Amino acid sequence: MIYGIPSYDLPLMAGVGFLSYLIGSIPFGLVLTALSGEGDIRQIGSGNIGATNVLRTGNRKLAAGTLILDATKGAFAVFCAFVLCPFHTGAAEALAAACAVAGHCFPVWLKFKGGKGVATGLGSMIALSPAIGLCCCAVWLIFAKVTKISSAGALVAFAALPLLMIWPGHIPFSSPIYLSGVLIALLILARHHANITRIFTGTEPRIGQGGNQGGK
């Protein structure tokens, strides 16, 4: 058994993971920009499908919509796990959160070239634990405002996530939610490898500037 889940429940857990991946893989940034007549977001700025790159179209409402929808799909995946798994609910929700972020980062529809998972990760964490998710959002917003670099805020927020789950979250290391949070943080940090390089070389654009700034 894994986390106390009997083998006969593993197919249901696998189904939850697959459904969550599909939910996370919906490329809202690409869909919204196409429907609004802004063109293919992959041909704009960094080519990323997230909200930061959508903002480069000059349409703030479109970027806000992308941010909200990308966060909502993470929360919705966790909600689906809650509904579908009356037993082992915590493990199912943790799996759904991680798979939704993976779906956003590696969507099958776009040849596994997706976003960086920040908004979906935040939405997933808010659904798993509102207090921790909101703390993560606060860290992101504070550091993005101070540094004027969106990716810097995201990097600090998700680097801090394992600590936020310990305090004030009081989530034990053995919890599937803790494992999910760590996996989400590692994936998002890895997806920002180019941003990390540009931050250290001083070439990462600030909020409101053009260039190849990393998006969600």
Side-chain angles (χ1 to χ4, degrees), residues 34-201:
L35 291 177
S36 66
E38 297 288 353
D40 188 340
I41 189 61
R42 294 171 295 179
Q43 305 301 319
I44 299 172
S46 66
N48 196 272
I49 63 170
T52 299
N53 200 42
V54 173
L55 185 59
R56 294 196 182 94
T57 66
N59 192 326
R60 294 188 177 186
K61 291 182 179 180
L62 205 62
T66 301
L67 181 69
I68 292 169
L69 287 172
D70 280 348
T72 299
K73 68 184 181 184
F76 182 66
V78 174
F79 173 75
C80 288
F82 172 79
V83 172
L84 293 172
C85 295
F87 304 103
H88 319 298
T89 306
E93 291 177 337
L95 175 65
C99 288
V101 176
H104 179 82
C105 294
F106 308 107
V108 63
W109 331 108
L110 305 180
K111 299 180 180 179
F112 304 103
K113 296 178 181 179
K116 298 187 179 179
V118 175
T120 306
L122 291 173
S124 297
M125 289 310 304
I126 289 173
L128 287 176
S129 173
I132 295 171
L134 291 174
C135 283
C136 202
C137 287
V139 172
W140 173 43
L141 292 172
I142 290 170
F143 276 86
K145 183 176 179 62
V146 170
T147 63
K148 305 296 183 183
I149 301 174
S150 177
S151 58
L155 287 165
V156 173
F158 281 94
L161 179 57
L163 297 177
L164 292 174
M165 287 190 290
I166 297 172
W167 187 89
H170 304 294
I171 295 177
F173 293 119
S174 59
S175 168
I177 292 177
Y178 189 85
L179 175 60
S180 178
V182 170
L183 290 175
I184 288 171
L186 290 174
L187 176 56
I188 290 173
L189 293 175
R191 293 288 290 169
H192 280 80
H193 63 91
N195 302 84
I196 294 172
T197 299
R198 290 195 296 269
I199 288 172
F200 278 105
T201 58

